[in-house]
Amino acid sequence: MSALRRPPVDVVTVGVGLTGSILGLELAEAGLSVVGLERGEARSTHPDFELPGIHDELRYAVRHELAQDLSRETLTFRNAMQQTALPMRALGSFLPGEGLGGAAVHWNGQTWRFLPWDFETRSQARERYGAAALAADCTSQDWGVRYADLERHFDRFERVYGIGGKAGNLRGVRQTGGNPFEGARSAEYPNPATPESHAGALFTRAAAELGFHPFPIPSANMTRAYTNPYGASLGPCVYCGYCERFGCEMDAKASPQTTVLPRLLAHPRYELRTGANVVRVNLDPDGKHARGVTYLDARGREVEQPARLVLLTSYVFSNVRLLLLSGIGRPYDPVANHGVVGRNYAYQCSAGVTAFFEDKVFNPFMGAGALGRAIDDFNGDNFDHAGLGFVGGGYIACDSNGARPIQSLAVPDGTPGWGSGWKRAVARYYTRSLGIRCHGSVQSYRTNYLDLDPTYRDASGLPLLRMTFDYHDNERRQVAFLAGKCVDIARAMRPSALSLPGPRGHYSIVPYQSTHNTGGAVMGADPTTSVVNPYLQSWDVPNVFVIGASAFPQNAGYNPTGTVGALSYWAADAIVRRYLPAPGPLA
Amino acid sequence: MTDRTPESPASRRAFLQSLGVAAGAALPVAGTVAAPAPSRPDTSSTIAPGPAYLTAEEMRFVEAAVATLIPADELGPGALEAGVADYIDRQLASPWGVHARHYRQGPWGEGAPQQGYQLPLTPQQLYRAAIAETNRDCLRHRGRGFDALDRAAREEVLTALEADAIALEAVPARTFFSMLWENTIEGFFADPRYGGNRDKIGWRLIGFPGVAAAYGGLLERHNEPYRVSPVSIDDVRARLVPTDAHGHPKHVPEPPSRETSR
């Protein structure tokens, strides 16, 4: 059928970003032949992220050069089922990656572990607050894996990615200076915490005054030169303030390029193919076994790559879309409320406050993507939700992650929108303001889901993915509560003015919020409500694994990368130790 | 149009006079005074001659608009002096000017605001249509084109565009205003290699250093302003500043005279 057929391999990974590089290396080292198919181009520190060109806000932060090129493929979006979805024509709310390394090239580096509670949201919320704690249309569920199962994989990922931080809970013993609410860790972070900026120091003092528990945000920006377990050498961060939306000139931000790819690309059993856009997983006629994948190469030719094991290791949207295009798993039908693929799409619900000062100066251009201080007092179930009308929560943080000017011009409320008054305010307050933000969880709902769009197609004629998503009352109450805490902390700093967040309306795809899209191919212990089993293995096609934030049944109040990394090692471990000796369903 | 910067439009002269300032005298204007003269030639502010996309008439509109949005005033030069009109012209001639990285397949529908930009118009088409229509509206109601209006009238027109109070056929007035204002901010604060932020006027205004130095150790010095002469990408490429092994420039303190203007 295909014009070209490549020699069979043991494993093919669809996408070579954070998850694809880890799985590729772990399986190559286990003795398997692996081909990594990456739709974008190869990218590396030299020459792509070198100075001075990488410090270009317009090119990378505003024009999104390292993010997905929507002219070839985007998704469509609507808030509700009765609307017509329209294409996301420009990047805005989130920034998926495209080339080698994926979004883990242009991320900030905030590397959290989800709370033990986050993996058991449904059962824990109902146990503590009763059956009515979750709304009738809430489809949040337990993950089928617990924090304790994942702990050593979190630890492994943190060592590979060189995370800097301060433990708050070492084997159940509380540690001064860390996050007292975190799940027990088996070991301290491999690197020290980030230094404290002026803004961070003010936040720490104000939060402590209010009785909260501030600590340094866990950081993939290297706080010292570091060599990881794969022998990759990372440089020390110089706090230049160009992390999110940029590559790092210092090899100081953990990314596939700086942690895993050096060893992987040199591995004799690994082959990387860029410009390879996978369009379907090929199944046997009975639909229960994958034969490999078909991709379009850079010349537009269809190429078949046979493989014994197919790993979907792309961004959330590509994982879900490829399942739908390939007919793996039953597509979710929100009307009948059955089917699984596309179910439980979630995101984050965040807000912030800006504090302005007359008597303080910051140097907001100094910093790093994960340089900041946070509190976790109002995340997960770390506080009593009785009477609050919501479940979940989020961390609250003050970041010093590099205020590039085009996108960092906060002015006090009441400032004219342009003209001399505006100019005076930006000249005055660019160095005299700081932001405090909350980073909230989003539960899953029957009406928030992904499917194939009936109208719009990508450059090769395949249907685009369609997102139907809006915030629900649970998230609106939660973000109002968290924003109130942000304001309390900001007030305790005694600023001269505050810009307050307004009430949360509909979700909009326009302003940047976070590249923390989750779900659609969620994990669980019940095949009627999950696409993959607790080992991230397809219930329907056991030689297909789907790895990434697509597996999150709902989203927690944290950046997802730490948990994505832990799930990658968890799945790799299951494949090597359980699947390979006896290929077949693991659950 | 080959060297239009020193040729201030009549409208700029008029509004400078309205500030009680003799044009080209007290206010720093690009090509004449411009913030402290760089000790070495600043290649980043060299502008290729001639418009890249806009016609001469459209260029006058954009110059008048950006001079109103970020005016020259007691804080120093504004967007016109910073070359923001040149920046916009060049951006319109770049891949962005045809939304080369946007999804541009139909069908085209209007949608809800939460669904984002849904116009089939590229920035090139949008600027062309909206400038022509706004100028026609100015001629009809004010007897002259936008760039010939005085400052107060230009402010009124921009305010009306922002509030969607001028009915344009091709494009919602608010959409045009948003794009114009976003592009003005970009041109005022982007690296000078794109034709705006000439002499790093935008960066000097707020105290942004440009290409970052290695800040290790400096971050922990709380409440100490870090005011340096900003460094552009082309400054580093032209070796106008010393750098460390990774290419981070060594910043030098900004001359103190600039502090007094804030």
Side-chain angles (χ1 to χ4, degrees), chain A residues 51-53 55-59 62-74 77-79 83-91 195-198 201 238-242 249-250 359-363 365-367 371 400 403-406 409 417-420 422-424 426-428 430-432 455-459 464 506-510, chain B residues 68-78 87 91 96 100-119 151 154-155 158-159 162 177 181 183 185-186 188-191 193-194 203 205-227 232-233 236-237 246-249 262:
Chain A
L51 279 172
H55 286 194
D56 186 337
E57 183 186 16
L58 183 75
R59 180 175 178 181
V62 181
R63 302 281 183 251
H64 307 125
E65 184 155 320
L66 298 180
Q68 184 173 333
D69 179 352
L70 301 188
S71 71
R72 292 199 288 274
E73 184 194 324
T74 184
F77 162 70
R78 58 184 179 175
N79 283 126
Q83 294 175 322
T84 301
L86 292 175
M88 177 176 77
R89 296 190 179 277
L91 287 167
E196 192 163 69
S197 67
H198 186 203
V238 298
Y239 309 108
C240 77
Y242 289 84
E249 70 269 15
M250 286 293 293
D359 60 343
K360 294 179 174 63
V361 171
F362 310 98
N363 295 314
F365 38 85
M366 297 180 187
L371 195 146
S400 296
R404 283 86 53 188
I406 297 170
L409 297 172
W418 41 274
S420 273
W422 176 85
K423 186 181 172 190
R424 200 174 305 118
V426 299
R428 176 79 190 157
Y430 170 68
T431 55
R432 292 181 179 86
T455 305
Y456 293 97
R457 295 182 174 257
D458 71 8
L464 296 181
H506 292 295
Y507 167 70
S508 168
I509 203 141
V510 179
Chain B
T68 314
L69 290 167
I70 306 181
D73 56 17
E74 76 281 1
L75 282 179
Y87 164 84
Q91 284 296 301
W96 175 81
R101 284 167 63 89
H102 282 207
Y103 182 79
R104 290 193 34 80
Q105 294 184 41
W108 300 86
E110 202 162 308
Q114 302 89 261
Q115 291 174 299
Y117 190 88
Q118 294 295 338
L119 293 173
R151 178 182 181 168
R154 289 196 316 246
E155 286 180 349
L158 290 172
T159 302
E162 184 178 21
F177 179 87
W181 176 228
N183 292 156
I185 292 176
E186 289 163 14
F188 201 62
F189 293 108
D191 188 276
R193 68 197 300 256
Y194 296 100
W203 291 351
L205 176 74
I206 61 172
F208 180 69
V211 178
Y215 295 134
L218 295 167
L219 181 96
E220 295 97 320
R221 286 159 75 163
H222 297 172
N223 223 16
E224 283 184 33
Y226 182 84
R227 284 284 187 166
S232 71
I233 289 171
V236 177
R237 291 213 168 118
H246 294 278
H248 297 101
R262 277 175 294 270

Side-chain angles (χ1 to χ4, degrees), chain A residues 16 21 24-25 28-29 32 34 100 230-232 256-257 259-272:
Chain A
V16 187
S21 55
L25 181 52
E29 301 220 320
L32 304 181
V34 183
L100 184 62
Y230 294 136
Q257 276 77 354
T259 60
V260 178
L261 287 174
R263 179 139 160 180
L264 178 60
L265 296 180
H267 203 287
R269 281 185 294 275
Y270 185 79
E271 183 195 349
L272 168 71

Side-chain angles (χ1 to χ4, degrees), chain A residues 549-581:
Chain A
S550 54
F552 295 5
Q554 56 275 341
N555 203 7
Y558 296 106
N559 310 57
T561 305
T563 301
V564 170
L567 288 179
S568 300
Y569 281 105
W570 163 253
D573 186 68
I575 292 169
V576 171
R577 296 200 306 133
R578 299 182 47 136
Y579 179 87
L580 292 178

Side-chain angles (χ1 to χ4, degrees), chain A residues 273-514:
Chain A
R273 275 178 226 150
T274 54
N277 189 20
V278 176
V279 291
R280 71 180 166 271
V281 178
N282 299 314
L283 303 179
D284 276 347
D286 66 2
K288 293 186 189 321
H289 181 80
R291 294 194 311 252
V293 301
T294 293
Y295 63 90
L296 301 176
D297 72 6
R299 291 165 59 179
R301 297 179 300 189
E302 271 208 359
V303 182
E304 189 185 339
Q305 175 60 64
R308 287 165 54 206
L309 200 48
V310 174
L311 309 183
L312 307 192
T313 53
S314 303
Y315 196 65
V316 172
F317 301 125
S318 299
N319 279 354
V320 174
R321 181 166 176 254
L322 199 54
L323 290 170
L324 291 168
L325 290 174
S326 307
I328 298 175
R330 192 170 184 177
Y332 176 59
D333 177 345
V335 177
N337 198 24
H338 64 58
V340 287
V341 183
R343 182 175 170 275
N344 282 25
Y345 170 74
Y347 193 46
Q348 309 278 184
C349 189
S350 303
V353 54
T354 307
F356 301 88
F357 298 86
E358 302 302 330
D359 60 343
K360 294 179 174 63
V361 171
F362 310 98
N363 295 314
F365 38 85
M366 297 180 187
L371 195 146
R373 296 297 184 260
I375 62 165
D376 222 12
D377 298 63
F378 302 104
N379 211 339
D381 202 34
N382 296 343
F383 59 111
D384 187 358
H385 290 65
L388 294 177
F390 66 88
V391 297
Y395 69 78
I396 292 170
C398 177
D399 307 290
S400 296
N401 52 18
R404 283 86 53 188
I406 297 170
Q407 300 186 319
S408 306
L409 297 172
V411 291
D413 291 344
T415 301
W418 41 274
S420 273
W422 176 85
K423 186 181 172 190
R424 200 174 305 118
V426 299
R428 176 79 190 157
Y429 290 110
Y430 170 68
T431 55
R432 292 181 179 86
S433 57
L434 59 79
I436 298 175
R437 67 184 170 94
C438 62
H439 190 92
S441 58
V442 168
Q443 301 307 319
S444 289
Y445 298 92
R446 190 164 162 177
T447 50
N448 287 344
Y449 66 101
L450 305 171
D451 66 353
L452 292 177
D453 191 273
T455 305
Y456 293 97
R457 295 182 174 257
D458 71 8
S460 53
L462 296 168
L464 296 181
L465 197 68
R466 175 170 67 179
M467 174 198 296
T468 305
F469 178 76
D470 207 349
Y471 293 121
H472 285 234
D473 287 345
N474 186 83
E475 283 61 47
R476 292 199 174 98
R477 292 188 196 113
Q478 172 193 287
V479 77
F481 175 86
L482 292 173
K485 301 297 177 191
C486 294
V487 171
D488 291 346
I489 296 170
R491 289 228 161 94
M493 297 177 179
R494 291 173 283 282
S496 60
L498 283 180
S499 281
L500 303 176
R504 183 54 50 106
H506 292 295
Y507 167 70
S508 168
I509 203 141
V510 179
Y512 184 76
Q513 288 150 78
S514 76

